[in-house]
Amino acid sequence: MSNSPLHIELIQPDDWHLHIRDGEVMKDVLADTAQQFARAIIMPNLKPPVTTADLAKAYRTRIESNLKSLGISSFTPLMTLYLTDNTSADEVHKAKAEGIVAFKLYPAGATTNSDAGVSDIKRCYKVLEAMQSVGMPLLVHGEVTTAQIDIFDREAVFIDTVLEPLRKDFPGLKIVFEHITTKQAAHYVRDAATPSNTLAATITPQHLLMNRNAIFSGGIRPHHYCLPVLKREEHRVALLEAATSGNPRFFLGTDSAPHAKGDKETACGCAGCYSAFNALGLYAEAFESVGKLDKLEGFASFFGPDFYSLPRNTKKITLAKQAQKIPAELPLGNDTIVPLRAGETIAWSLI
Ligand code: DOR
Ligand code: ZN
């Protein structure tokens, strides 16, 4: 018999890794996130990418105007810049002055809209020095892009060949290893011999709830394809252990990545799971599965703001063990999107 509670009250969480895109679709996805979260780190991989403080300011204005037309005044977007081989150290100072909270490293070719990303991290050393000196965090998509490296090994190889040398060269640089997917990454972050405010990791709901079988169960499942790709069960177990351990180095980042239904269900489908619709319910399910609902608040609401030196939220929210049917599709601009768990019933809902 389960002794899980029927309600859990927690300080309102933030989403420390989110894609909301731009244009027509932004409003729909923003509404889902702003219902649950007080703040979110907004990823800069637009087309063209958000590479300068001026572009980020303009993007923030577009987000704010969408929030206004949705009647939402309680949500704050936290802006990031997309690092390229040509980013200047000066841009770091401009970004700091504009309240931009981080830079994102996409190795060129690693994922959606990453073509303008970094070809060799050594080209960015001047920028990284400036980031280290002003306390600007680097958010890392941690996968190598070498074609010869198996897709399931790209994260583990990135740790040895890119991340570890980078941390040796910049011991004071604040780094978030985003959407970790492997036992190697979870243990690397857990065991890092540096203060907890210099290295942390975000973990998505899909990587806590599914292993790679979910991409192939009964046929190919494009809505379970994201990058980094789902891994073996032993990795899911290690991630769940890290997330529920109460270690402040691990915090919530959905990586909710909207793509229209037709762009997923096609011969060459886009990477990304749309988890924003009921992300908190999904995290609650994952934590409950190992009897650790008591650890959800730290992961979802405390450790993120602590890492970014931002105040914790004060408002409270309640999650209830109240079954909710997830729609088969949701509106996405003039299109539709298939959310994670589409057509299924999930146990936890925000009330
Ligand atoms: O699955 C993913 N989708 N992984 C990423 O790194 C990017 C994201 C997107 O922007 O669609
Ligand atoms: Zn992402």
Side-chain angles (χ1 to χ4, degrees):
M1 205 179 83
S2 151
N3 60 359
S4 283
L6 296 179
H7 289 91
I8 33 174
E9 204 186 56
L10 49 157
I11 290 287
Q12 188 173 20
D14 305 300
D15 186 346
W16 299 96
H17 185 127
L18 178 69
H19 301 266
I20 56 170
R21 316 300 187 205
D22 210 347
E24 279 301 296
V25 306
M26 191 211 288
K27 213 158 127 184
D28 292 326
V29 296
L30 198 49
D32 284 344
T33 289
Q35 263 190 354
Q36 299 160 76
F37 298 98
R39 296 170 286 197
I41 293 258
I42 308 296
M43 286 294 138
N45 61 334
L46 301 183
K47 267 186 192 165
V50 182
T51 50
T52 65
D54 285 342
L55 286 171
K57 261 169 70 183
Y59 187 26
R60 178 162 54 198
T61 304
R62 297 196 294 282
I63 297 170
E64 282 163 355
S65 93
N66 273 315
L67 287 168
K68 200 165 170 202
S69 70
L70 287 163
I72 296 168
S73 55
S74 55
F75 179 80
T76 308
L78 302 171
M79 307 310 292
T80 60
L81 290 195
Y82 184 112
L83 193 64
T84 74
D85 288 353
N86 303 317
T87 307
S88 69
D90 194 38
E91 207 60 53
V92 175
H93 299 288
K94 277 193 196 149
K96 185 85 184 168
E98 289 299 341
I100 287 158
V101 300
F103 279 61
K104 176 74 190 272
L105 164 64
Y106 286 105
T111 187
T112 311
N113 298 343
S114 64
D115 296 350
V118 172
S119 65
D120 179 353
I121 191 68
K122 295 244 159 76
R123 294 181 183 227
C124 300
Y125 266 33
K126 285 224 158 65
V127 188
L128 296 175
E129 250 160 49
M131 289 172 62
Q132 180 172 252
S133 74
V134 303
M136 175 71 77
L138 178 71
L139 315 184
V140 172
H141 182 111
E143 288 190 287
V144 293
T145 53
T146 332
Q148 301 90 301
I149 305 288
D150 190 280
I151 189 167
F152 293 100
D153 298 332
R154 287 181 185 172
E155 185 173 279
V157 173
F158 181 89
I159 296 172
D160 296 337
T161 60
V162 183
L163 189 54
E164 178 62 13
L166 178 68
R167 289 187 55 244
K168 284 220 168 83
D169 289 342
F170 296 96
L173 180 64
K174 286 168 83 75
I175 296 177
V176 184
F177 195 169
E178 298 288 341
H179 43 55
I180 58 167
T181 64
T182 57
K183 181 171 70 178
Q184 288 89 333
H187 293 177
Y188 181 78
V189 172
R190 180 194 67 189
D191 299 337
T194 48
S196 64
N197 67 351
T198 51
L199 182 66
T202 54
I203 310 182
T204 77
Q206 66 266 25
H207 291 101
L208 293 175
L209 289 167
M210 295 188 286
N211 64 37
R212 65 191 195 177
N213 286 348
I215 311 169
F216 307 105
S217 75
I220 189 123
R221 303 278 185 161
H223 299 289
H224 292 164
Y225 170 57
C226 64
L227 287 170
V229 72
L230 295 170
K231 304 295 192 300
R232 286 177 182 276
E233 177 64 5
E234 64 177 301
H235 298 291
R236 187 191 73 83
V237 168
L239 296 170
L240 193 53
E241 194 183 305
T244 61
S245 65
N247 183 333
R249 289 179 191 266
F250 300 102
F251 49 82
L252 186 157
T254 62
D255 195 21
S256 178
H259 292 280
K261 185 177 185 221
D263 293 333
K264 296 281 294 172
E265 299 177 7
T266 181
C268 185
C270 296
C273 295
Y274 186 62
S275 60
F277 184 70
N278 195 340
L280 287 179
L282 297 172
Y283 280 112
E285 178 182 323
F287 277 61
E288 186 184 35
S289 72
V290 284
K292 293 279 180 66
L293 276 171
D294 59 316
K295 299 286 194 233
L296 182 60
E297 189 177 39
F299 175 81
S301 314
F302 297 160
F303 306 151
D306 294 355
F307 180 87
Y308 280 92
S309 304
L310 290 168
R312 293 178 178 183
N313 296 318
T314 50
K315 196 184 136 193
K316 291 195 166 159
I317 58 141
T318 304
L319 284 167
K321 196 149 191 193
Q322 194 169 289
Q324 190 194 3
K325 176 124 195 239
I326 306 295
E329 288 179 24
L330 298 165
L332 183 76
N334 301 320
D335 240 308
T336 63
I337 187 165
V338 177
L340 209 56
R341 292 289 178 79
E344 293 178 34
T345 298
I346 67 166
W348 287 90
S349 308
L350 188 66
I351 56 166

